[in-house]
């Protein structure tokens, strides 16, 4: 045996002493008579006398060994008949002459089936007498003389009651003398073989032993043969009490302390725990053959192999009992924040790992989570799987969990503290080993940042599914107590004390729970210098790290999950993918209960300042960030610049679909509350409070402020009411809103039906849907039409809000209009439209805007201003007939054109109408009345000219040429359809067909068409008659037959009269010349 090998000199010494100093003089009294007065004196801790059962001797002759009798000084255990058979079978013959050798042999070998009960009883009493005999104690006094003098506590103990040996056992760690150390080690082995051999143990646990039926003090009752069995029985009772099992006996406090003391002493050496020793003897050889005994090494080895399939159930049960006691003792000794040695930390880590591996070591889990284990986690006992299953239930992934079970899980996580070292959680360690080796290999093994590294790679290609589940299950509980993140604690402990009034790490209360401390920290993380009381730089980095992790899953944000549990179930039950639940809550912000709305609003407001909190969005947008926004992203202090950069580059080729969706979603969320746009909030907060109080939605705030700016501008106010800083940011917000119709909720809601009908294949963004609605304006519903008209009116006044124009003509604006103000950009582009350097796409879009302007004078700000007095003066009837918010379809401009012909317009208005006439003469599309009434004729008669879209007036000339045909075809269209449908148009073929039908009496033509045809025949006849005059007589006939003969005759008469008058005036001159000639 191991102990025999260690102490050969001790055995020799004790053997000699047993002969030189006979114990009790006359020999050893194996069982004292009941009436002996010295029995009570020598019994340890007042041990009651052992009664003798006479019947036992009669029934079994060997039982005589237990009768009171006196032995000679050379009495040997080997001579007792009750043990002779077991001795012969189990012990080598050379050890028979030494009682201690026989005792060690039998007690190490014994099991209930191996050694007779009478022999067990004999051995038990023999050891009891050895422990309490004063002459036996004299051996200890002689061997440990120096040690006893050094240990004052033991020197003061009373002899003869076993106290001295027990005291030396208690202080054996301080014994430096080799022989004394060996002797006490041997006595420890004897003492721990039976429960009554421990000083005070019997007195303190007497009632509990009887109540739990762990042993008997009466001869004849069933006697548990091993003290280890008795202790094991008490230990199990202690565990049942802690787990509050039905019918559990309440063990007295004094006995509890004794049990824990026994467990503490036996924990150093595997051999000293008799019950565990015998239960795991074969398993020790199987798993720990090369492990030396002492310092708990065998325990650790067996604990590490506890869940191996080859481990026997009896050993596993004994190990579990031992671990439960260790766990209870460990939990009572754990205090965070204290500095401990590295060796102690290693020991504590082993115990923490045990707690995470086996849920049964925690009585609170066994007691409060019994139904959850049975319902969801049965059959998963090994390697921490049950605990992670309970965590999964606690997260709400499987079913509802009892609050007591939830608290028990949180308490266990706090005690085990796996956040400090992921290896404590065996299930997590095994599941994430491959991820750690690939993604986190740059971090030292066991470093707390391993968990952060795993969280950074959550939902990435490197993450495996099993690791993802285990990680989220653990992080769920770590997130609920900021103290469980050691890195966060280290960097933020001072800030928490300074800003959140926490003076100690373990100080938590109902007024300041752990979750409230982190909320306090992140509220101070984003304060400006002006606001003061900011976090330190290191603490802010850690707070941001935690916020990034929480953004991955709403369940990692305790406050969010607690307040929004109902809304998550109501609105977001089908949103199961990463990040979707928070997006869903943001989408339904107006529908949430007030508590949930507040916490979601605060989180969204925080994201607007630091969008990097959205880790999933940052991953999706990494290509764009690297190419266009890396300078902003590298800036530690993000004030909304990164999101602005992503919005501005939303249509770059590097923009992925996921990133575009995420950025647009954030834009859509921002319109719900102006506070969600950090830059807008900081720039315009004072203006909003002053000019737009009680308005919360960002869209309404923008409209309110922009209306104020516009009114101040139109009224030529001396001082703008909106600050310069706010006006600049307001322009940015207005431009961003014009990019996507969804960013203007009222417009989007009004036109949603039309979008689905007319623009279903058009993607949102780049103002494409808005442009589609503009092009199909005639087909829109009235509500949508009114909204689009208002939008166009705003865009024409301020072309910078025309996103499509500014995007398509971006380079042309830089080329031609760098010196123009924003409101004059479109006017500048119109003036340069026909330049050879003009981009075709921009030119086409400018034409579209001109067409739009000519449909209604209100869409042409320059014309509206120039003709401000002329329109009500000349075109008021048209305005009176028009309904509110309806377009005038170019009627007012047509009215002004007529007045232009009469030269009745003011000079400024006349100039603008002249420009319109010139432009529309070159492009018929700029004349809405012409385009509206002549659409079919243009497509039928002038298709080539219209298709060319060359703004040279060809279409209008084509219409003039075909004017008569248009009139005739308009009257005879139905008859052509009925009688000449097969005749192709052109070269008068259809006219010939109609003439034939007119002459055919069987064909009945429309009255209007028949009249037109007769008129045409008369015209042709008249044209045939009116041929060129060949002489004066023909000319006279044509004049006399002409319908205008009176006019012609009047003109001729007037001419003759004029000639006569001229003659009269000139006649005197003629006469004078004649007289002169006569005089000659």
């Amino acid at each position: 045996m191991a102990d025999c090998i260690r102490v050969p000199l001790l055995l020799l010494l004790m053997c000699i002493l047993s002969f030189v100093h006979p114990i009790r003089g006359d020999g050893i009294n194996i069982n004292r008579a009941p009436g002996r007065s010295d029995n009570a004196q020598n019994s340890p801790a007042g041990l009651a006398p052992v009664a003798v059962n006479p019947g036992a001797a009669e029934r079994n002759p060997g039982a005589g060994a237990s009768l009171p009798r006196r032995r000679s000084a050379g009495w040997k255990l080997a001579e007792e008949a009750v043990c002779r058979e077991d001795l012969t079978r189990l012990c080598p013959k050379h050890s028979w002459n030494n009682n201690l050798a026989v005792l060690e042999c039998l007690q190490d070998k014994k099991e209930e089936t191996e050694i007779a009960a009478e022999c067990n009883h004999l051995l038990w009493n023999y050891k009891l007498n050895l422990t309490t005999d004063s002459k036996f104690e004299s051996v200890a006094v002689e061997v440990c003389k120096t040690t006893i003098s050094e240990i004052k506590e033991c020197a003061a103990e009373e002899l003869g009651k076993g106290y001295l040996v027990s005291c030396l056992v208690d202080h054996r760690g301080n014994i430096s003398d080799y022989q004394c150390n060996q002797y006490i080690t041997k006595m420890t082995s004897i003492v721990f073989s039976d429960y009554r051999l421990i000083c005070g143990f019997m007195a303190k646990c007497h009632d509990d032993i009887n109540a739990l039926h762990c042993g008997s003090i009466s001869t004849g009752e069933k006697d548990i043969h091993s003290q280890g069995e008795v202790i094991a029985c008490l230990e199990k009772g202690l565990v049942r009490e802690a787990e509050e099992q039905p019918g559990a006996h309440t063990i007295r406090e004094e006995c509890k302390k004794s049990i824990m003391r026994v467990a503490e002493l036996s924990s150093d050496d595997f051999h000293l725990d008799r019950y565990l020793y015998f239960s795991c003897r074969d398993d020790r050889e199987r798993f720990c053959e090369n492990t030396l005994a002492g310092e708990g090494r065998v325990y650790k080895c067996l604990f590490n192999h506890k869940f191996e399939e080859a481990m026997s159930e009896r050993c596993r049960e004994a190990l579990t009992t031992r671990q439960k006691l260790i766990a209870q003792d460990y939990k009572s000794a754990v205090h965070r924040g204290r500095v401990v040695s590295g060796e102690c930390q290693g020991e504590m880590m082993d115990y923490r790992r045990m707690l995470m591996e086996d849920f049964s070591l925690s009585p609170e889990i066994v007691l409060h989570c019994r139904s959850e284990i049975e319902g969801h986690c049965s059959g998963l006992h090994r390697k921490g799987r049950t605990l992670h299953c309970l965590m999964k239930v606690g997260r709400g992934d499987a079913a509802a969990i009892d609050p007591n079970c939830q608290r028990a899980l949180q308490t266990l996580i706090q005690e085990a503290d796996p956040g400090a070292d992921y290896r404590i959680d065996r299930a997590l360690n095994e599941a994430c080993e491959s991820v750690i080796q690939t993604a986190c290999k740059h971090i030292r093994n066991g470093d707390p940042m391993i968990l952060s590294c795993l969280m950074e790679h959550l939902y990435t290609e490197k993450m495996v599914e099993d690791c993802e589940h285990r990680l989220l299950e653990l992080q769920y509980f770590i997130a609920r107590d900021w103290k469980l993140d050691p890195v966060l604690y280290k960097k933020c402990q001072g800030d928490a004390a300074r800003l959140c009034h926490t003076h100690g790490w373990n100080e938590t209360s109902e007024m300041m729970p752990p979750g409230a401390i982190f909320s306090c920290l992140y509220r101070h993380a984003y304060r400006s210098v002006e606001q003061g009381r900011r976090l330190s730089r290191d603490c802010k980095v850690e707070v941001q790290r935690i916020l990034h992790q929480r953004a991955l899953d709403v369940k990692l944000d305790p406050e969010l999950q607690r307040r929004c549990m109902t809304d998550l179930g109501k609105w977001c039950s089908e949103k199961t993918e990463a990040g979707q639940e928070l997006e869903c809550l943001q989408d339904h912000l107006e529908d949430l209960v007030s508590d949930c709305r507040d916490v979601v609003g605060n989180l969204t407001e925080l994201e607007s300042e630091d969008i990097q909190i959205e880790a999933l969005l940052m991953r999706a947008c990494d290509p764009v960030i690297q190419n266009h926004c890396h300078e902003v992203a590298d800036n530690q202090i993000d004030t909304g610049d990164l999101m602005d950069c992503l919005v501005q580059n939303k249509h770059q080729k590097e923009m992925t679909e996921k990133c575009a969706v995420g950025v647009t979603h954030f834009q859509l969320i921002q319109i719900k509350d102006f506070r969600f746009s950090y830059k807008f909030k900081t720039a315009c907060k004072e203006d909003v409070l002053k000019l737009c109080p009680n308005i919360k939605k960002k869209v309404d705030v923008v409209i309110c402020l922009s209306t104020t700016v516009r009114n101040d501008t139109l009224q030529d106010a001396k001082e703008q009411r909106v600050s310069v800083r706010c006006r600049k940011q307001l322009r940015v917000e207005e431009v961003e809103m014009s990019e996507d119709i969804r960013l203007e909720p009222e417009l989007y809601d009004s036109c949603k039906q039309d979008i689905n009908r007319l623009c279903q294949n058009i993607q949102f963004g780049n103002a494409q849907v808005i442009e589609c609605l503009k092009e199909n304006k005639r087909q829109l519903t009235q509500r949508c039409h009114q909204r689009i008209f208002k939008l166009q009116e705003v865009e024409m006044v301020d072309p910078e809000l025309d996103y499509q124009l500014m995007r398509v003509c971006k380079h042309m604006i830089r080329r031609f209009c760098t010196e123009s103000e924003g409101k004059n950009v479109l006017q500048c582009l119109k003036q340069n439209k026909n330049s050879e350097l003009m981009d075709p796409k921009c030119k086409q879009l400018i034409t579209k805007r001109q067409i739009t302007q000519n449909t209604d004078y209100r869409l042409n700000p320059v014309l509206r201003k120039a003709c401000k007095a002329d329109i009500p003066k000349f075109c008021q009837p048209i305005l009176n007939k028009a309904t509110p918010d309806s377009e005038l379809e170019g009627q007012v401009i047509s009215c002004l054109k007529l007045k232009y012909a009469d030269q009745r317009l003011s000079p400024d208005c006349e100039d603008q109408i002249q420009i319109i006439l010139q432009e529309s003469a070159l492009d018929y599309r700029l004349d809405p009345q012409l385009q509206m009434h002549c659409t079919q004729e243009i497509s039928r008669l002038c298709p080539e000219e219209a298709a060319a879209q060359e703004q040279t007036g060809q279409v209008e000339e084509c219409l003039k040429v075909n004017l008569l045909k248009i009139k005739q075809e308009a009257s005879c269209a139905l008859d052509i359809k009925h009688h000449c449908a097969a005749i192709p148009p052109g070269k008068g073929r259809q006219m010939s067909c109609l003439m034939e039908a007119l002459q055919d009496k069987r064909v009945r033509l429309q009255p209007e068409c028949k009249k037109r045809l007769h008129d045409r025949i008369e015209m042709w006849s008249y044209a045939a008659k009116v041929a060129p005059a060949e002489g004066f007589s023909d000319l006279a006939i044509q004049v006399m037959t002409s319908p205008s003969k009176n006019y012609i005759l009047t003109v001729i008469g007037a001419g003759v009269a004029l000639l006569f008058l001229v003659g009269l005036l000139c006649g005197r001159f003629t006469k004078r010349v004649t007289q002169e000639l006569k005089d000659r």
Side-chain angles (χ1 to χ4, degrees):
M1 303 304 295
D3 289 346
C4 292
I5 296 172
R6 285 204 311 267
V7 289
L9 293 178
L10 178 63
L11 293 175
L12 178 61
L13 175 63
M14 295 185 68
C15 184
I16 294 172
L17 289 174
S18 65
F19 285 98
V20 176
H21 301 283
I23 298 174
R24 290 208 179 277
D26 297 331
I28 298 174
N29 187 2
I30 304 301
N31 275 325
R32 303 170 188 270
R36 290 289 299 271
S37 61
D38 60 341
N39 183 59
Q41 283 184 340
N42 297 332
S43 299
L47 182 63
V50 180
V52 179
N53 187 353
E58 295 177 1
R59 291 190 300 272
N60 189 347
S66 63
L67 297 174
R69 53 179 177 171
R70 307 188 70 81
R71 293 290 184 184
S72 63
W75 176 83
K76 296 180 177 57
L77 281 172
E79 296 175 354
E80 293 296 330
V82 293
C83 292
R84 189 172 297 133
E85 181 180 353
D86 297 310
L87 186 66
T88 304
R89 179 167 51 87
L90 300 174
C91 301
K93 193 170 184 180
H94 64 79
S95 65
W96 291 5
N97 292 327
N98 189 303
N99 288 343
L100 292 180
V102 171
L103 176 63
E104 184 174 10
C105 171
L106 290 177
Q107 77 172 11
D108 280 355
K109 295 284 184 179
K110 67 181 181 180
E111 290 182 4
E112 292 183 4
T113 57
E114 292 184 358
I115 300 176
E118 292 80 3
C119 183
N120 278 326
H121 191 66
L122 176 67
L123 294 174
W124 191 6
N125 284 281
Y126 176 67
K127 290 186 291 186
L128 174 62
N129 283 288
L130 288 176
T131 305
T132 59
D133 195 288
S134 60
K135 292 183 179 179
F136 184 80
E137 284 185 343
S138 66
V139 178
V141 172
E142 188 169 330
V143 175
C144 299
K145 183 182 298 182
T146 305
T147 302
I148 294 173
S149 63
E150 293 175 353
I151 304 175
K152 296 181 180 180
E153 181 182 345
C154 297
E157 290 290 355
E158 182 182 355
L159 299 178
K161 295 185 177 181
Y163 295 164
L164 177 61
V165 178
S166 296
C167 179
L168 290 172
V169 169
D170 289 344
H171 293 84
R172 64 191 176 117
N174 299 324
I175 299 176
S176 57
D177 183 80
Y178 177 76
Q179 288 188 345
C180 181
N181 190 290
Q182 295 297 306
Y183 173 74
I184 294 303
T185 299
K186 176 55 64 176
M187 285 307 299
T188 302
S189 176
I190 294 171
V191 168
F192 276 87
S193 295
D194 290 286
Y195 76 101
R196 283 180 287 184
L197 305 183
I198 299 175
C199 174
F201 188 80
M202 176 59 193
K204 295 176 182 177
C205 294
H206 177 273
D207 295 338
D208 298 296
I209 292 170
N210 285 332
L212 295 170
H213 304 287
C214 291
S216 172
I217 58 171
S218 302
T219 306
E221 296 184 14
K222 186 176 187 317
D223 218 341
I224 302 297
H225 67 267
S226 167
Q227 190 240 330
E229 292 280 357
V230 175
I231 294 176
C233 178
L234 289 171
E235 289 173 348
K236 291 178 181 178
L238 184 61
V239 170
R240 285 195 297 271
E241 179 188 350
E243 294 176 355
E244 300 184 18
Q245 295 183 11
H249 170 70
T250 303
I251 298 176
R252 294 185 301 169
E253 287 298 324
E254 290 183 347
C255 186
K256 287 181 182 179
K257 293 180 181 178
S258 297
I259 295 172
M260 298 304 292
R261 187 60 174 160
V262 172
E264 179 186 347
L265 291 173
S266 62
S267 64
D268 185 54
D269 195 337
F270 170 68
H271 292 83
L272 302 183
D273 190 331
R274 309 307 300 169
Y275 175 74
L276 186 64
Y277 174 80
F278 286 113
S279 299
C280 298
R281 185 165 49 186
D282 294 336
D283 299 280
R284 186 259 168 91
E285 297 300 324
R286 185 180 301 114
F287 297 109
C288 312
E289 181 180 2
N290 299 322
T291 304
L292 297 177
E295 299 181 1
R297 287 188 290 266
V298 177
Y299 281 118
K300 291 181 183 179
C301 175
L302 290 173
F303 289 157
N304 291 334
H305 293 85
K306 175 181 171 182
F307 294 111
E308 299 288 342
E309 293 183 1
M311 176 70 72
S312 65
E313 285 298 328
R314 185 180 179 190
C315 179
R316 187 178 290 119
E317 181 183 352
L319 288 171
T320 300
T321 302
R322 162 63 59 171
Q323 287 177 315
K324 289 179 180 179
L325 292 175
I326 292 173
Q328 289 188 41
D329 197 30
Y330 163 76
K331 292 176 185 179
S332 63
V334 169
H335 295 284
R336 265 192 153 292
R338 296 185 179 179
V339 178
V340 294
S341 64
E343 184 178 358
C344 179
Q345 289 181 8
E347 292 294 325
M348 292 176 68
M349 183 173 175
D350 290 336
Y351 296 140
R352 287 152 58 194
R353 186 183 293 114
M354 284 173 11
L355 291 175
M356 290 297 294
E357 284 187 1
D358 192 348
F359 76 94
S360 64
L361 304 184
S362 301
E364 299 85 1
I365 300 293
V366 176
L367 173 64
H368 299 299
C369 301
R370 186 176 290 111
S371 60
E372 285 80 3
I373 294 172
E374 294 175 355
H376 304 285
C377 309
S378 58
L380 300 173
H381 181 71
R382 300 182 178 184
K383 300 181 181 179
R385 294 174 187 168
T386 301
L387 195 57
H388 268 277
C389 175
L390 290 173
M391 292 181 189
K392 181 179 180 181
V393 177
R395 267 176 52 90
D397 294 343
I401 189 171
D402 184 83
N404 292 326
C405 179
Q406 184 87 356
R407 285 191 290 270
L409 282 170
Q410 188 69 42
T411 302
L412 176 60
I413 300 299
Q414 291 172 348
E415 292 165 348
D417 193 17
D421 192 335
Y422 74 97
R423 295 173 298 179
I424 291 172
D425 190 340
R426 184 172 178 179
L428 176 68
N429 189 12
E430 293 181 355
C432 298
E433 184 176 3
S434 61
V435 183
I436 294 172
Q437 293 300 323
T438 55
C440 309
K441 59 183 178 182
H442 60 286
I443 303 177
R444 179 178 55 84
N445 196 23
D447 193 288
M449 291 305 294
I450 290 284
L451 281 181
S452 292
C453 175
L454 291 174
M455 288 298 295
E456 289 174 5
H457 290 86
L458 194 65
Y459 306 123
T460 64
E461 295 178 355
K462 293 183 179 179
M463 180 60 63
V464 296
E465 184 178 3
D466 195 26
C467 176
E468 176 184 310
H469 294 324
R470 302 294 86 75
L471 182 62
L472 287 175
E473 288 159 5
L474 178 61
Q475 283 290 345
Y476 175 84
F477 289 91
I478 292 179
R480 273 145 183 78
D481 189 349
W482 74 297
K483 299 179 295 184
L484 296 179
D485 191 315
V487 181
L488 176 67
Y489 164 64
K490 182 178 179 181
K491 299 296 177 65
C492 295
Q493 187 180 21
D495 295 271
R498 177 170 56 89
L499 301 173
C500 308
H501 311 294
T502 58
H503 302 290
W505 179 260
N506 287 319
E507 287 189 8
T508 55
S509 63
E510 293 183 359
M511 297 299 293
M512 181 63 75
I517 297 174
F518 183 78
S519 298
C520 169
L521 288 174
Y522 90 71
R523 280 198 303 272
H524 289 84
Y526 294 91
R527 289 199 171 192
S528 63
V529 178
E530 293 79 10
Q531 291 174 312
R533 295 174 62 82
R534 305 176 70 195
L535 293 184
S536 62
R537 184 182 182 87
D538 290 342
C539 181
K540 181 176 179 179
V541 170
E542 293 307 313
V543 171
Q544 288 176 326
R545 174 178 64 84
I546 300 300
L547 291 174
H548 294 175
Q549 293 177 4
R550 291 187 172 187
L552 297 172
D553 192 324
V554 294
K555 294 178 181 177
L556 297 182
D557 192 325
E559 194 72 8
L560 180 65
Q561 190 191 29
R562 181 176 66 83
R563 294 191 181 188
C564 299
M565 183 67 71
T566 304
D567 290 300
L568 282 168
K570 183 177 181 180
W571 305 107
C572 311
S573 58
E574 297 180 357
K575 305 294 183 180
T576 57
E577 296 185 10
Q580 285 189 341
E581 289 179 310
L582 179 58
E583 290 182 0
C584 172
L585 290 175
Q586 291 172 331
D587 290 338
H588 292 87
L589 187 66
E590 297 87 351
D591 304 318
L592 305 179
V593 297
S594 58
D595 285 350
C596 180
R597 185 166 58 249
D598 291 342
V599 69
V600 173
N602 292 336
L603 181 59
T604 307
E605 188 175 354
L606 195 62
E607 288 179 349
S608 71
E609 181 174 357
D610 183 8
I611 192 58
Q612 295 188 60
I613 291 175
E614 281 282 357
L616 294 175
L617 179 61
M618 291 300 98
R619 291 176 194 168
C621 297
D622 188 63
V624 184
I625 293 174
Q626 294 301 324
N627 284 277
H628 303 282
C629 309
H630 61 278
E631 293 182 359
V632 180
D634 294 338
N635 186 6
Q636 289 282 344
I637 305 173
D638 183 16
T639 54
D641 294 329
L642 181 55
M643 177 52 72
D644 284 352
C645 179
L646 290 174
V647 171
Q648 293 169 9
N649 294 277
K650 195 165 74 169
H651 301 288
Q652 296 289 346
K653 61 180 181 179
E654 294 86 1
M655 177 64 69
T656 62
E657 183 180 357
K658 286 186 177 180
C659 180
V661 170
V663 172
T664 302
H665 174 266
F666 197 79
Q667 289 181 286
L668 294 174
I669 296 305
Q670 285 183 326
I671 65 176
K672 295 177 182 293
D673 194 321
F674 78 94
R675 296 179 299 120
F676 297 165
S677 178
Y678 178 75
K679 285 195 168 184
F680 183 62
K681 177 186 69 175
T682 53
C684 299
K685 187 173 183 179
E686 294 181 0
D687 299 272
V688 172
L689 294 176
K690 181 175 64 175
L691 301 172
C692 311
N694 304 322
I695 299 179
K696 191 173 184 180
K697 287 186 177 182
K698 180 180 175 182
V699 177
D700 297 334
V701 172
V702 170
I703 293 173
C704 171
L705 292 176
S706 60
T707 302
T708 303
V709 172
R710 189 175 295 112
N711 291 339
D712 289 346
T713 303
L714 294 175
Q715 295 171 7
D716 296 326
K718 294 182 179 180
E719 184 178 352
Q720 288 276 356
R721 287 176 288 174
V722 180
S723 64
V724 176
R725 184 185 178 192
C726 181
R727 290 203 302 271
K728 291 181 179 179
Q729 188 60 35
L730 185 63
R731 173 46 54 95
V732 173
E733 300 297 334
E734 289 175 327
V735 172
E736 287 185 3
M737 289 170 58
S738 66
E739 185 265 340
D740 194 325
I741 191 173
R742 293 173 296 179
L743 300 180
E744 299 188 49
E746 292 187 2
L747 175 62
Y748 180 59
D749 293 340
S750 301
C751 297
K752 188 177 293 185
Q753 180 181 351
D754 300 277
I755 293 172
N756 295 332
R757 180 168 53 88
L758 302 172
C759 310
Q760 55 183 352
N761 297 323
I762 306 298
Q763 293 184 351
F764 291 100
N766 265 341
Q768 295 180 96
V769 174
I770 295 177
E771 197 66 23
C772 171
L773 294 173
K774 291 177 181 177
E775 292 175 357
N776 294 277
K777 191 164 58 173
R778 298 183 187 280
Q779 303 178 49
L780 299 179
T781 57
Q782 182 180 2
R783 185 183 176 196
C784 179
H785 191 283
Q786 292 174 355
R787 292 286 181 183
I788 291 295
F789 179 77
K790 287 184 178 180
L791 175 65
Q792 289 178 318
E793 189 175 2
V794 172
E795 290 178 347
M796 293 304 175
V797 173
D798 191 351
E800 287 185 331
L801 299 181
D802 189 339
Y803 188 90
Q804 191 77 349
L805 178 70
M806 302 305 291
R807 184 182 70 85
V808 175
C809 298
K810 180 178 181 181
H811 300 294
M812 296 301 101
I813 293 172
R814 290 177 181 175
R815 174 172 291 173
F816 298 110
C817 309
T818 52
E819 298 180 357
S820 299
E821 295 183 13
K823 62 182 180 180
N824 297 325
V825 167
L826 180 58
Q827 194 69 17
C828 171
L829 291 173
K830 286 162 60 176
Q831 293 171 359
N832 294 276
K833 184 177 73 168
N834 297 319
S835 171
E836 294 180 356
L837 299 177
M838 178 59 68
D839 178 65
K841 290 184 179 179
C842 179
K843 182 177 182 180
Q844 183 179 3
L845 188 60
I846 294 171
T847 302
K848 288 183 178 180
R849 295 299 180 261
Q850 288 180 295
I851 295 171
T852 301
Q853 284 187 329
N854 290 347
T855 58
D856 197 306
Y857 77 97
R858 290 170 292 183
L859 301 180
N860 191 334
V862 179
L863 175 68
R864 186 175 185 178
K865 183 178 181 181
C867 301
K868 185 177 182 180
D870 300 88
I871 292 174
K873 181 178 180 182
F874 300 113
C875 309
Q876 189 62 44
I878 298 174
L879 299 179
N880 294 336
K881 292 179 182 179
T883 58
D885 299 325
S886 63
E887 287 191 52
L888 300 176
E889 301 295 346
Q891 296 179 59
V892 171
I893 296 178
S894 297
C895 168
L896 293 173
K897 287 179 182 179
L898 294 175
K899 301 305 175 183
Y900 171 80
D902 297 339
Q903 298 182 350
R904 299 175 64 183
L905 299 178
S906 62
D908 291 340
C909 183
E910 187 174 293
D911 292 341
Q912 291 301 316
I913 292 298
Q914 184 177 358
I915 293 173
I916 293 175
L917 287 170
Q918 292 173 351
E919 291 174 345
S920 60
L922 296 175
D923 191 343
Y924 77 98
R925 294 172 298 175
L926 301 183
D927 189 336
Q929 289 290 312
L930 177 64
Q931 186 180 17
M932 181 173 62
H933 296 295
C934 299
T935 302
Q936 296 181 358
E937 288 77 3
I938 292 172
S939 61
R940 185 173 69 255
L941 301 174
C942 311
E944 296 179 359
E945 292 82 353
Q949 291 191 355
E950 295 180 2
Q951 298 173 8
T952 56
Q954 294 181 10
V955 174
E956 189 167 346
E957 289 299 319
C958 174
L959 291 174
K960 291 178 181 178
V961 171
N962 291 277
L963 180 60
L964 293 177
K965 185 183 294 185
I966 292 171
K967 290 183 178 180
Q968 179 266 320
E969 288 180 355
S971 303
C972 299
L974 187 60
D975 295 294
I976 292 174
K977 183 178 179 180
H978 288 166
H979 308 293
C980 306
I983 306 301
K987 297 182 179 181
R989 286 188 289 266
Q990 289 185 341
M991 180 60 70
S992 299
C993 175
L994 289 173
M995 288 300 179
E996 292 177 1
L998 181 63
Q999 295 174 4
D1000 190 347
K1001 296 181 179 180
R1002 294 174 298 175
V1003 177
R1004 298 184 62 182
L1005 298 178
Q1006 295 292 323
E1008 182 67 21
C1009 180
K1010 185 180 291 187
K1011 181 177 180 300
R1012 288 286 181 183
L1013 289 175
H1014 282 299
D1015 291 342
R1016 183 64 57 90
I1017 292 171
E1018 289 178 4
M1019 183 181 67
W1020 288 338
S1021 301
Y1022 182 75
K1025 292 178 182 178
V1026 184
E1030 297 180 357
F1032 180 80
S1033 59
D1034 291 338
L1035 179 61
I1037 294 172
Q1038 289 182 1
V1039 170
M1040 296 306 294
T1041 59
S1042 172
S1044 303
K1045 67 177 181 178
N1046 294 331
Y1047 174 75
I1048 296 172
L1049 292 174
T1050 302
V1051 172
I1052 294 173
V1056 171
L1058 180 63
L1059 183 61
F1060 177 75
L1061 291 174
V1062 172
L1064 289 177
L1065 294 174
C1066 298
R1068 188 69 180 169
F1069 175 77
T1070 306
K1071 288 180 180 181
R1072 187 178 300 166
V1073 174
T1074 306
Q1075 186 65 36
E1076 288 178 357
L1077 290 174
K1078 288 180 177 181
D1079 293 340
R1080 288 179 184 176

